[in-house]
Amino acid sequence: MKFYASQIEKKQWLSDVEYSWNMDWETFQIEYRDAINFRKILQTAPEIGAIAGAWA
């Protein structure tokens, strides 16, 4: 059973490595930054700031 689980984990790890090599990291960073900035802007609104703060 341990051998079988390690084979699945190895396949998953290799799949993740391949995904990270093919990922467009610049686009990911820009989208992530924009999402964080949007949440920060929402926090400045008095009525929804607490909800946005919990979400962020």
Side-chain angles (χ1 to χ4, degrees):
M1 185 70 171
K2 180 68 175 169
F3 177 74
Y4 180 70
S6 67
Q7 291 296 326
I8 293 173
E9 291 170 0
K10 184 176 180 180
K11 286 181 182 179
Q12 179 65 39
W13 185 82
L14 292 173
S15 170
D16 291 346
V17 169
E18 183 179 331
Y19 178 76
S20 69
W21 280 81
N22 295 324
M23 187 168 175
D24 183 6
W25 288 102
E26 183 178 359
T27 302
F28 174 77
Q29 188 272 334
I30 291 169
E31 290 176 358
Y32 180 77
R33 182 196 64 205
D34 292 345
I36 295 298
N37 288 341
F38 178 69
R39 291 174 183 156
K40 287 180 182 179
I41 290 170
L42 286 178
Q43 286 180 330
T44 62
E47 296 171 1
I48 59 172
I51 296 168
W55 178 39

